[in-house]
Structure formats: structure tokens, C-alpha cells
Amino acid sequence: MRVPDLHDDGWCLESGVERHLLHPESFPIPNEAARTSLAVGDFAKLIFLVATDDDDAPLVERMWVVVREVAGDTYFGLLDNEPEIDENDDFWLGAEVPFNQEHIIEIQKGDAGSRDYAARPPLRIWPRA
């Protein structure tokens, strides 16, 4: 699977694990067992870098996704937040987002409503190949 690229896709993900290793006291994350055992409908908060008109300064946003598919060590989720940026036309609520355990900075267990949301077709599907 191709990972999102800031220049090609207009966004990418930052590693929560790396950030935690740099600042363990001020940047806690869920343990690895929790990050690797998400189920469809669970929520994961990720750190997104979103391209802006200023190539040197991407917007950094922490946003929730709802897990819709677990494929080996890759999760596919539906974006559950509206990005706070107008310049990116392809990255909105309901877009499919690929991620793995290293990107997860917070977790919330899902419920019937989030499982229903996860079953919806994405507004934009992430290419699998």
C-alpha cells in the first residue's frame, strides 16, 4: 500500500510514536497492545500534516478517524473531522485514510453509531495498490 505523501496527496501522517519518544513526559500515547488491537468502529486520533499555499508550512491538525477496515498491520479509517483548511479540495469528512499503529495518539472504543459510520462507503477511497 502506498502511504500518503504531503506533496503528492496534499497531506500525510506524523508518527505519534516518534513524537512520544522525543517527549515521553508531555506526549503520552496508548500502549502498543492497544494501538494494534483496534476493531471496526473504534476511533483513532492521528496527527495530520495538510499542505497549504505555503509549501514550507503545512497545517498540523489532530483529527479522529473511525476504523472501517483492518488489513494486516494497516488500518483504513474514515475521517471523522472537518479539516480547518480551505486550500485542500481532496481531504474532507468521510475520506478514507490509511494508517498504522505508529500514527495513533489517542483511542476511543466505538459504539453502534460508529460501526454504522464505518460501514458507509468512503467519499474518497484510498488506493490499495
Side-chain angles (χ1 to χ4, degrees):
M1 180 210 62
R2 185 178 68 78
V3 298
D5 179 81
L6 184 63
H7 300 291
D8 293 339
D9 301 306
W11 65 278
C12 66
L13 296 171
E14 187 172 292
S15 172
V17 171
E18 281 184 27
R19 211 177 246 214
H20 170 70
L21 290 173
L22 289 171
H23 309 284
E25 297 299 319
S26 62
F27 198 85
I29 60 173
N31 65 43
E32 185 175 359
R35 295 190 322 265
T36 58
S37 61
L38 296 180
V40 171
D42 287 345
F43 294 87
K45 187 177 273 188
L46 314 174
I47 302 171
F48 292 83
L49 301 177
V50 183
T52 64
D53 290 337
D54 181 358
D55 288 337
D56 294 332
L59 179 69
V60 178
E61 288 199 52
R62 297 176 188 195
M63 295 187 284
W64 291 100
V65 298
V66 176
V67 176
R68 71 179 306 269
E69 182 182 337
V70 180
D73 62 353
T74 301
Y75 294 109
F76 291 91
L78 292 179
L79 188 61
D80 196 39
N81 284 108
E82 282 285 353
E84 296 289 325
I85 185 168
D86 295 328
E87 290 104 347
N88 193 310
D89 294 330
D90 297 322
F91 189 61
W92 300 109
L93 182 73
E96 188 173 56
V97 175
F99 64 101
N100 63 41
Q101 64 86 18
E102 87 168 86
H103 300 114
I104 299 168
I105 62 170
E106 195 173 332
I107 295 170
Q108 288 183 6
K109 284 296 177 192
D111 58 21
S114 65
R115 287 186 291 278
D116 287 346
Y117 180 68
R120 287 200 248 171
L123 295 179
R124 183 178 185 108
I125 297 172
W126 186 258
R128 297 298 197 269

